[in-house]
């Protein structure tokens, strides 16, 4: 199963980027064909319909194809002001926008429809980004994704990782692995229907 893993952050010491790395490693160890991307590696401007009218940026097209090619995703979302960050919203807005004049991409939801998506979050606070997850869920459903019911919000993220970026507590590793397992299980079963 092809699994796409990414974090909605570009901050150098982001807890969610650390969580995405842990998740990608776990999924690889479980046999998934994992693509772990960093949003910072894509030149994606703030969404603007006037800019889009001049042509969809090349890196947006790369993201559209990557997301289309992976039946399963895991998103690690930060929490800013009790919601998910603008970076993540902007990325999904671009990816779900139709490409005018391109018959292959006139369907804006081609990259998102039928994807099985697991959501993780990490935050220094006790809730671990749970409110971010609750706001992200309706957006993903609107994009016609299948949202995995199992999720994990990692609280106290400032002390949750060791110096090598590994989760310290076995219970936290187990919670992440449970999300990975459920996403892969569901994607295997839903992939033919999503096609």
């Amino acid at each position: 199963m092809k699994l796409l893993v990414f974090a909605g952050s570009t901050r150098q010491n982001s807890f969610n980027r650390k969580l995405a790395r842990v998740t990608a490693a776990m999924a690889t160890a479980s046999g998934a064909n994992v693509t772990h991307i960093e949003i910072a590696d894509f030149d994606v401007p703030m969404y603007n319909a006037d800019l889009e009218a001049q042509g969809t940026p090349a890196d947006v097209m790369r993201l559209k194809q990557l997301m289309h090619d992976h039946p399963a995703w895991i998103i690690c979302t930060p929490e800013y002001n009790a919601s998910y960050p603008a970076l993540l919203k902007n990325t999904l807005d671009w990816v779900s926008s139709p490409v005018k004049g391109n018959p292959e991409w006139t369907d804006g939801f081609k990259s998102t429809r039928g994807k099985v998506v697991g959501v993780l979050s990490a935050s220094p606070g006790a809730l671990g980004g749970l409110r971010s997850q609750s706001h992200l869920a309706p957006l993903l459903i609107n994009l016609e994704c299948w949202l995995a019911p199992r999720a994990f919000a990692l609280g106290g993220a400032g002390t949750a990782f060791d110096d090598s970026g590994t989760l310290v507590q076995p219970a936290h590793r187990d919670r992440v692995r449970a999300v990975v397992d459920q996403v892969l299980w569901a994607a295997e079963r839903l992939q033919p229907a999503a096609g």
Side-chain angles (χ1 to χ4, degrees), residues 59-75:
D59 275 6
V60 171
M61 296 303 297
R62 282 178 56 216
L63 273 172
K64 280 178 170 288
Q65 190 65 56
L66 262 173
M67 292 183 170
H68 176 265
D69 290 344
H70 291 76
W73 307 348
I74 293 181
I75 301 173

Side-chain angles (χ1 to χ4, degrees), residues 138-173:
L139 171 60
L140 293 170
I141 291 168
N142 186 69
L143 296 177
E144 301 184 18
C145 297
W146 294 97
L147 187 62
R150 186 163 284 157
F152 176 50
L154 174 66
T159 57
F161 300 91
D162 64 20
D163 290 341
S164 68
T166 302
L167 285 169
V168 175
Q169 294 189 30
H172 292 162
R173 295 195 294 272

Side-chain angles (χ1 to χ4, degrees), residues 107-125:
D107 176 0
F109 291 163
K110 177 179 175 179
S111 295
T112 60
R113 182 181 292 111
K115 306 307 177 184
V116 175
V117 183
V119 179
L120 302 172
S121 59
S123 169

Side-chain angles (χ1 to χ4, degrees), residues 178-191:
V179 174
V180 169
D181 289 347
Q182 187 176 70
V183 167
L184 295 175
W185 178 88
E188 288 284 357
R189 283 149 184 80
L190 290 170
Q191 187 175 14

